């Protein structure tokens, strides 16, 4: 046997980057490099977790399949799929563990339809030697177990009315077992929560094969000829793993409360869909050939905002308001990072950028997928008016600060987007509106940003109208067609942000907390999306060598599986924040596409 990379634990936890993601379009799970499922919510992304050890390693629940005396491991995906393989080496042998959240046979992932079997399947085989395999299914204390013919019926106190069934082949007498296996021997396991696919261990090979085929059929729609093809390809699959197939929503991340700084309190629940992510997602997915996902997400956005009196910042996967944010100190938190939170208070914040995000989505819907219905247009007109009226009012901004609201530049810019896209929609479909007035107001907002957010001392646009610190969100203004990337003040802003918010080695902070207080005492890491935005600006300014060098360095920061976190610890390079993060993968796709359009089509 050769050697595999050793495992490292910190305070009893694997590094965030040492996990792989599997999913089925309804939920997702994190599988550690040690063969343990550390996190999984059932039956959907925003349900209570069935496995939660990633936020409490000592007392949390998990599903481990691990050889005794584990010394090293590696993970990889079966090509072009969401099916994960973990190879683990012990002192006496080598095992291969294949994990998937299974998909229904014959499913077409380009359709907005249920695809999940609601079934976790795990298949392990010994490749070399003889191993003692530890199989541990540890559940919450009050969980009720009842033996069945092929396994156990599980009733979790957190999942009222949900029947979970565990089965294995060969049959296990208990949920904490040790099994000796020799080369060529294996075991299969299934955990189901739909009441339909019982006795699954008899056909796990078939289930895995069909799941692989379904993923490989879907990726045939991938259209990209640019740098770092393999990373962009994996980013597309990762976004699909974060997609709720049946309704088109995309969660920001599948996890809650993974910290922005180890031991700190910046721990949020990201298992919801942000309106802000919609336009970024749609841009990225359209560009690489996945119009069906873009169309599905746009429909979800427009349906969600059509239900309430005012558009919210985020919704649950069904387009309803998420639960109220609460702090849960019954968990110890990832590496002692407290509090653990459920729900997200940003849903109740005022963020004016939501007008621009929605109108941008509506414009893309109309341009690429069909007409804007009169009833929807009446709703959208109210948002355009609101954007014009509130563009200079204080709000909580893109970074969702928990301080007194401020007149954020990004929010004003997205109000400009609302007016611009509203005018474009009216022109496109011949709606009898005062388009000239909307365009005049949009121009006034742009002028106000260039004049009132400009700080001669910094030689940069700043976070708010009237002054303030530097803000990396302003790097997105050219992407939203608010200010051209080659405008002298945008060129200067790009350079000022690059220097003043520099976290080292191409990484950027969103802002400096001491200059831009956000109501929280803890530090945070470098935000990956901001660095991808920097690539976009350098590309648009014709600085292609710099853009390509930065892009390649960011892609090298992906995990061994090609996954990105929300943030990076600048000192150690380790991952921070909820994982994997949709916006980071969106940034990777968009920056690569823009480089390809600029003629940078090969990797160095």
């Amino acid at each position: 046997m050769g050697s595999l990379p050793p495992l490292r634990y910190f305070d009893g936890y694997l590094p965030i980057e040492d996990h792989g993601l599997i999913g089925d379009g309804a939920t997702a799970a994190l599988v550690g490099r040690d063969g343990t499922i550390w996190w999984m919510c059932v039956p959907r992304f925003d349900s209570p977790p069935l496995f939660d050890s990633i936020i409490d390693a000592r007392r949390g629940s998990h599903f481990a399949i691990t050889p005794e005396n584990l010394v090293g491991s590696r993970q990889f995906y079966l090509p072009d799929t969401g099916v994960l393989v973990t190879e683990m080496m012990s002192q006496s042998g080598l095992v291969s563990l294949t994990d998937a959240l299974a998909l229904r046979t014959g499913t077409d992932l380009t359709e907005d339809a249920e695809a999940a079997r609601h079934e976790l399947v795990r298949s392990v085989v010994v490749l070399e030697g003889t191993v003692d395999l530890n199989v541990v299914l540890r559940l919450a204390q009050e969980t009720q177990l009842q033996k069945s013919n092929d396994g156990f019926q599980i009733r979790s106190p957190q999942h009222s009315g949900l029947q979970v069934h565990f089965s294995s082949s060969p049959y296990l007498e208990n949920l904490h077992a040790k099994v000796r296996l020799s080369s060529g021997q294996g075991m299969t396991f299934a955990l189901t929560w739909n009441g339909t696919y019982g006795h699954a261990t008899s056909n796990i090979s078939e289930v895995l094969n069909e799941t692989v085929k379904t993923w490989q059929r879907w990726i045939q729609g991938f259209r990209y000829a640019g740098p770092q093809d393999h990373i962009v390809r994996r980013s597309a699959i990762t976004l699909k793993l974060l997609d709720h197939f049946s309704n088109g929503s995309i969660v920001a991340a599948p996890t809650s409360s993974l910290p922005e700084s180890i031991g700190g309190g910046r721990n949020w629940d990201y298992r919801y869909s942000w309106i802000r992510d919609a336009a970024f997602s749609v841009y990225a997915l359209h560009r690489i050939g996945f119009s069906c996902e873009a169309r599905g997400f746009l429909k979800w956005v427009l349906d969600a905002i059509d239900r309430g009196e005012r558009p919210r910042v985020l919704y649950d996967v069904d387009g309803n308001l998420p639960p109220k944010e609460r702090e849960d100190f019954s968990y110890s938190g990832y590496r002692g990072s407290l509090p653990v939170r459920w729900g997200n208070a940003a849903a109740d914040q005022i963020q004016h950028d939501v007008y621009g995000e929605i109108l941008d989505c509506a414009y893309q819907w109309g341009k690429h997928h069909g007409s804007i219905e009169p009833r929807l247009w009446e709703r959208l007109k109210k948002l355009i008016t609101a954007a014009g009226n509130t563009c200079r009012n204080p709000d909580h901004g893109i970074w969702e600060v928990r301080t007194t609201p401020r007149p954020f530049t990004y929010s004003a810019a997205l109000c400009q987007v609302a007016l611009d896209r509203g005018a474009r929609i009216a022109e496109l479909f011949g709606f009898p509106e005062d388009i000239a007035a909307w365009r005049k107001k949009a121009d006034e907002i742009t002028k106000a940003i260039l004049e009132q957010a400009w700080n001669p001392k910094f030689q940069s646009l700043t976070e708010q109208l009237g002054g303030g610190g530097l803000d990396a969100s302003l790097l997105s203004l050219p992407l939203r067609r608010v200010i051209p990337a080659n405008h002298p003040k945008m060129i200067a802003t790009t350079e000022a942000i690059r220097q003043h918010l520099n976290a080292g080695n191409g990484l950027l902070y969103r802002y400096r907390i001491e200059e831009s207080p956000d109501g929280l005492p803890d530090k945070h890491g470098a935000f990956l999306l901001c660095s991808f935005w920097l690539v976009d600006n350098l590309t648009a300014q014709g600085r292609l060598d710099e853009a390509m060098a930065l892009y390649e360095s960011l892609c090298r920061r992906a995990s061994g599986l090609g996954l990105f976190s929300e943030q990076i610890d600048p000192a150690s390079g380790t991952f921070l924040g909820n994982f994997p993060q949709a916006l980071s993968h969106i940034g990777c796709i968009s920056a690569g596409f823009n480089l390809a359009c600029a003629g940078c089509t090969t990797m160095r």
Side-chain angles (χ1 to χ4, degrees):
M1 296 185 292
S3 61
L4 295 178
L7 284 91
R8 302 168 299 151
Y9 291 87
F10 299 91
D11 309 314
Y13 296 84
L14 286 172
I16 293 172
E17 55 266 35
D18 276 4
H19 297 82
L21 179 73
I22 57 174
D24 61 5
T27 190
L30 292 186
V31 185
R33 203 155 58 83
D34 58 357
T36 298
I37 295 182
W38 288 75
W39 177 263
M40 186 174 76
C41 298
V42 295
R44 65 184 206 177
F45 294 106
D46 52 2
S47 298
L50 185 66
F51 302 129
D52 55 12
S53 282
I54 202 165
I55 51 175
D56 195 324
R58 188 171 64 87
R59 293 176 300 175
S61 53
H62 61 248
F63 184 3
I65 301 175
T66 308
E68 200 164 79
N69 300 316
L70 178 62
V71 296
S73 71
R74 66 167 184 155
Q75 288 182 311
F76 57 90
Y77 285 104
L78 294 182
D80 288 339
T81 77
V83 178
L84 182 68
V85 177
T86 306
E87 290 185 348
M88 294 173 283
M89 179 179 294
S90 72
Q91 293 175 355
S92 60
L94 177 67
V95 302
S96 177
L97 172 64
T98 302
D99 282 305
L101 282 162
L103 302 176
R104 294 180 178 181
T105 301
T107 297
D108 183 352
L109 298 187
T110 64
E111 298 177 352
D112 292 335
E114 179 70 57
R117 288 173 60 100
H118 306 289
E119 181 176 36
L120 168 70
V121 294
R122 315 195 75 186
S123 177
V124 63
V125 63
V126 178
L127 300 179
E128 299 179 35
T130 298
V131 300
D132 288 326
L133 199 67
N134 290 315
V135 180
V136 178
L137 186 64
R138 189 170 79 182
L139 301 165
Q141 281 188 350
E142 298 178 3
T143 301
Q144 298 178 359
L145 297 176
Q146 182 179 348
K147 283 192 174 184
S148 63
N149 290 335
D150 63 342
F152 293 84
Q153 295 288 348
I154 299 168
R155 293 186 183 275
S156 165
Q158 299 297 318
H159 299 82
S160 177
L162 187 70
Q163 293 189 5
V164 180
H165 183 264
F166 171 79
S167 59
S168 65
S169 179
Y171 175 78
L172 292 179
E173 288 287 345
N174 59 70
L175 299 182
H176 192 152
K178 181 181 292 187
V179 183
R180 176 161 291 185
L181 299 173
S182 297
S183 181
Q185 294 181 318
M187 294 188 71
T188 55
F189 307 85
L191 196 69
T192 66
W193 50 93
N194 61 358
T196 303
Y197 295 99
H199 311 288
T201 51
S202 62
N203 67 337
I204 277 186
S205 284
E206 180 182 340
V207 169
L208 284 171
N209 287 338
E210 289 298 324
T211 300
V212 167
K213 289 177 183 178
T214 299
W215 279 111
Q216 291 177 342
R217 281 196 302 271
W218 176 80
I219 199 63
Q220 289 175 10
F222 181 75
R223 300 289 182 269
Y224 176 80
Q228 299 290 329
D229 173 273
H230 64 296
I231 296 292
V232 174
R233 198 176 188 92
R234 178 49 55 184
S235 289
I237 296 171
T238 303
L239 286 181
K240 189 65 175 175
L241 285 166
L242 300 178
D243 179 11
H244 194 275
F245 294 171
S246 62
N247 64 23
S249 61
I250 299 177
V251 297
T255 56
S256 177
S257 302
L258 295 186
E260 297 181 18
S261 62
I262 301 301
R266 295 174 182 265
N267 316 314
W268 315 111
D269 190 351
Y270 273 19
R271 300 169 303 144
Y272 308 109
S273 288
W274 267 251
I275 293 292
R276 180 178 304 116
D277 299 4
F280 291 123
S281 299
V282 169
Y283 277 133
L285 292 169
H286 263 306
R287 288 170 164 180
I288 57 174
F290 295 112
S291 295
C292 55
E293 283 72 24
R295 182 175 62 248
F297 197 14
L298 290 174
K299 183 178 184 302
W300 175 85
V301 168
L302 299 179
D303 286 347
I305 65 105
D306 203 30
R307 298 179 189 178
E309 294 182 2
R310 69 174 176 90
R312 301 291 182 144
V313 176
L314 66 134
Y315 296 86
D316 72 8
V317 295
D318 285 335
N320 300 316
L321 290 181
K324 294 289 185 181
E325 183 177 303
R326 65 183 178 90
E327 298 180 350
D328 188 347
F329 289 93
S330 67
Y331 290 90
S332 61
Y334 178 83
R335 297 187 61 188
S337 304
L338 286 173
V340 166
R341 290 185 175 92
W342 309 111
N344 199 301
D348 294 322
Q349 286 187 347
I350 300 298
Q351 297 180 28
H352 301 318
D353 66 304
V354 72
Y355 301 122
E357 314 292 3
I358 293 167
L359 266 296
D360 197 29
C361 284
Y363 173 65
Q364 292 182 66
W365 170 267
K367 183 177 180 181
H368 296 289
H369 302 299
S371 63
I372 299 293
E373 298 297 326
R375 186 178 68 85
L376 176 59
W377 178 241
E378 290 302 314
R379 180 90 165 103
L380 294 173
K381 280 200 301 182
K382 293 179 181 178
L383 302 183
I384 298 167
T385 300
N389 292 337
T390 63
C391 58
R392 302 189 190 204
N393 293 349
D395 73 344
H396 293 93
I398 181 176
W399 306 128
E400 301 175 351
V401 299
R402 301 198 172 197
T403 58
T404 301
R406 308 196 284 273
F408 284 104
T409 305
Y410 181 88
S411 298
L414 268 291
C415 288
Q416 189 269 10
V417 169
L419 290 154
D420 175 81
R421 304 308 190 266
R424 291 172 185 266
I425 293 171
E427 268 190 343
L428 187 63
F429 295 108
F431 292 129
E433 308 296 342
D434 192 348
I435 296 173
W438 287 347
R439 289 203 162 122
K440 180 181 178 183
K441 184 66 175 179
D443 290 342
E444 290 173 357
I445 296 173
T446 301
K447 182 178 179 182
I449 290 171
L450 290 170
E451 294 178 356
Q452 297 176 31
W454 179 257
N455 185 319
K457 175 184 174 183
F458 288 138
Q459 282 295 293
S460 176
L461 298 170
T462 55
E463 68 172 357
Q464 64 191 62
L465 301 180
L470 269 65
D471 180 356
S473 71
L474 303 185
L475 293 173
S476 72
L477 298 192
L479 304 179
R480 315 313 292 271
R481 296 188 289 190
V482 178
I483 299 173
N486 60 0
H487 188 286
K489 287 190 174 180
M490 197 65 228
I491 293 173
T493 297
T494 301
E495 193 57 33
I497 288 173
R498 191 179 192 182
Q499 293 183 16
H500 192 68
L501 299 183
N502 177 32
N505 300 312
L507 298 175
L508 294 175
Y509 294 110
R510 290 174 290 178
Y511 47 86
R512 297 282 183 183
I513 297 172
E514 59 273 18
E515 298 171 354
S516 306
D518 58 13
L520 296 161
D522 308 299
K523 65 179 182 178
H524 54 175
F527 206 81
L528 270 174
L529 177 62
C530 299
S531 290
F532 283 119
W533 283 341
L534 177 57
V535 173
D536 290 321
N537 279 264
L538 295 174
T539 301
Q541 292 166 13
R543 300 161 67 177
L544 297 184
D545 287 344
E546 293 175 77
M548 179 63 85
L550 176 57
Y551 184 66
E552 291 179 346
S553 75
L554 295 173
C555 288
R556 286 194 296 270
R557 290 188 179 277
S559 75
L561 291 170
L563 304 178
F564 289 109
S565 59
E566 178 186 42
Q567 300 181 29
I568 297 286
D569 183 333
S572 65
T574 58
F575 285 9
L576 294 170
N578 286 302
F579 171 80
Q581 171 74 305
L583 278 178
S584 298
H585 288 278
I586 290 165
C588 174
I589 292 170
S590 181
F593 181 88
N594 289 333
L595 278 166
C597 290
C600 302
T601 58
T602 59
M603 293 183 292
R604 292 184 176 182

